[in-house]
Amino acid sequence: MDLLTDRIKDDMKASMKGGAKARLGVIRLILAAIKQVEVDERIQLDNDRVILVLDKMLKQRRESIRLFADASRHDLVAIEEAEVLVIQNFLPQALSEEEVDAMVSEAVIESGAESIKDMGKVMGLLKAKMQGRADMSVVSTKIKAALAG
């Protein structure tokens, strides 16, 4: 099985050889986050768990970008956006907006959701399918809109 961590380590070596210091720094952060979970839980992460770690890192970066933008710290926004691009490189292909909309509609029908109270059912169906492939806060907003309409 092709492990995502192996791909990340290979990319780290390539970044070292190529002198891509900023990219190398982000890759080291990724590997440290993975290692932290492995040490804490005394397991070796499979690809699904690595994707969860990457998704969490992505969520943190997006929140930082929002906060830095609100504070007019565009220098820091640029750094975080560059990190987002590196992290996204290791995630599965992102879903298009049309694909997200279609999956939300399908999940609403499949779950039988009728109101905002049923949002958890819909999110439960979508989370595993979309993890690492879509911004779940955007998905949440789309679910709310679908259930409110």
Side-chain angles (χ1 to χ4, degrees):
M1 181 166 88
D2 183 35
L3 283 178
L4 189 51
T5 50
D6 293 339
R7 199 175 114 213
I8 295 169
K9 288 175 185 172
D10 290 343
D11 207 27
M12 180 177 76
K13 291 173 193 166
S15 296
M16 288 169 119
K17 288 178 185 171
K21 289 184 180 176
R23 183 175 182 77
L24 179 60
V26 178
I27 293 171
R28 284 183 170 151
L29 287 173
I30 291 169
L31 289 171
I34 292 168
K35 191 61 152 172
Q36 183 66 52
V37 174
E38 288 180 339
V39 168
D40 288 349
E41 298 183 22
R42 293 184 175 99
I43 59 170
Q44 182 174 2
L45 298 186
D46 60 3
N47 286 350
D48 292 338
R49 288 294 305 274
V50 171
I51 288 172
L52 288 175
V53 170
L54 293 172
D55 202 41
K56 182 179 178 185
M57 292 179 77
L58 207 54
K59 185 186 276 186
Q60 291 167 337
R61 299 305 178 288
R62 287 184 178 134
E63 179 65 15
S64 295
I65 289 169
R66 189 182 63 74
L67 294 172
F68 291 146
D70 290 349
S72 297
R73 291 295 312 266
H74 304 293
D75 55 329
L76 297 175
V77 168
I79 292 169
E80 295 290 322
E81 286 175 341
E83 289 184 7
V84 164
L85 292 176
V86 174
I87 295 167
Q88 283 178 330
N89 186 46
F90 299 110
L91 288 169
Q93 181 67 42
L95 295 168
S96 69
E97 192 161 346
E98 294 78 25
E99 289 173 310
V100 171
D101 290 340
M103 290 174 81
V104 166
S105 298
E106 196 177 291
V108 167
I109 294 166
E110 186 181 328
S111 68
E114 296 175 5
S115 70
I116 295 291
K117 287 185 265 181
D118 300 322
M119 189 171 164
K121 292 179 191 174
V122 180
M123 190 60 108
L125 289 173
L126 292 175
K127 191 160 181 134
K129 294 178 191 173
M130 293 183 163
Q131 195 73 50
R133 299 180 68 206
D135 182 346
M136 294 311 287
S137 62
V138 171
V139 173
S140 175
T141 303
K142 289 182 179 287
I143 294 170
K144 284 178 188 166
L147 293 175

